[in-house]
Amino acid sequence: MRISGNRSDVLVVGGGIIGLVTAWRSAQRGLRTTLADPEPGGGAAQVAAGMLAAVTELHYGEQTLLGLNVASAARYPAFVAELEEASGQRTGFRACGTLSVALDADDRAHLRELHALQQRSGLQSEWLSGRECRRLEPMLAPGVRGGLRADGDHQVDPRRLASALVTACERAGVVFHRAWVRRLSVVNGRAAGGVLADGTELGAGQVVLAGGSLSGRLEGLPEAVVPPVRPVKGQVLRLTVPRAYAPFLSRTVRAVVRGSHVYLVPRADGELVVGATSEEQGWDTTVTAGGVYELLRDAHELVPGITELPLTETRAGLRPASPDNAPLLGPTALPGLHLATGHHRNGVLLTPVTGDVMGHVLATGELPEVARPFASHRFGRPPAAPSHDAVRAPVSQEQPA
Ligand code: GLY
């Protein structure tokens, strides 16, 4: 077994955007931070469309989550400005707004209900007639029956976001290990680091499990703290809008077509992202003919001109879903172990607030008010009372149990 000379205050297991933002904020707080992932910046962010859709993705029964989504959406402009400054890279953030449209009477009724729920929830959206929708977005199908304009639902490019976070972490002094953590180390009833696939041991005062849909599979996790996350597959298409066709769409356009959500997210650089299926298929990431067909069929009903565009990429990713579709944040019943996972459909949207929450809890031992409804232990045993000593405890030299 190789013993790493690098012992840290915080080990982040998983380098998707949630693990990266946690590591960045942790390092900014002066904590010696290590992150382990074979491909930092990979994972679901490489597939996600990057909608920041607190208003248009509101679902019944998710009003508590809405508070966190709105808080994170409000942080986005300052977050990307800070990240772009820290990394010297652009994130593709666009304050473009979103239009949700209805194609038939059933869709229209569904959208009217959503509008009423948005209004009861204090959210800003405006009902438009079909004609008004087409005036805003002339490529929409002539049959559009009405729509909801949400000028506060923007977008970011998750691939650029992930890349900028890797660079910001490197510049903030985060140490990267490009390998899987195979096993959690537990010493004297406390999380004490992790063991990489090649046997290298990484010691840490605190461990953050940010492994997305794989979070529950880490070996060595005591039963009581295994996060209840499962993968929900999403197939996504990428097309390119030739310059001659621009502007094809000026904002994100979405709809529910025969019960399935479809969205078209136009980037400033000409990429057009079309998503997404929602499938409970375990860890399968196969792109299927049926998935591509359904997305193109629904997108074509919404925007017929889409069939003229080059199809440049098809890909599937896994959303890490929790039982209540909300993230699991902060301390667990195992002292020293935190979770930052379970973000399901909202990982990109929740990146800024997750970073702030995790930075705070790692540095102080306290979960901030905004994150209390999303405490890691809400489906299991509560954590032991935090001791401030534990926050900066010297890393144990002992071998894992
Ligand atoms: N938030 C978009 C999706 O999960 O497909």
Side-chain angles (χ1 to χ4, degrees), residues 48-53 57 232 234-236 254 261 263 275-278 319 344-348:
M51 289 179 300
L52 308 175
E57 271 199 26
V232 177
Q235 300 190 47
V236 173
R254 55 186 304 155
H261 290 265
Y263 45 78
T277 64
S278 190
R319 307 174 182 89
H344 196 206
R345 295 185 309 270
N346 296 304
V348 179

Side-chain angles (χ1 to χ4, degrees), residues 144-183:
V144 163
R145 303 284 291 265
L148 275 179
R149 177 176 178 168
D151 284 345
D153 274 5
H154 303 315
Q155 62 154 299
V156 71
D157 184 335
R159 293 176 176 177
R160 291 176 189 265
L161 179 71
S163 169
L165 280 167
V166 170
T167 302
C169 282
E170 284 167 349
R171 291 185 175 180
V174 174
V175 175
F176 283 88
H177 288 266
R178 286 175 166 78
W180 290 116
V181 171
R182 180 169 49 78
R183 182 158 51 84

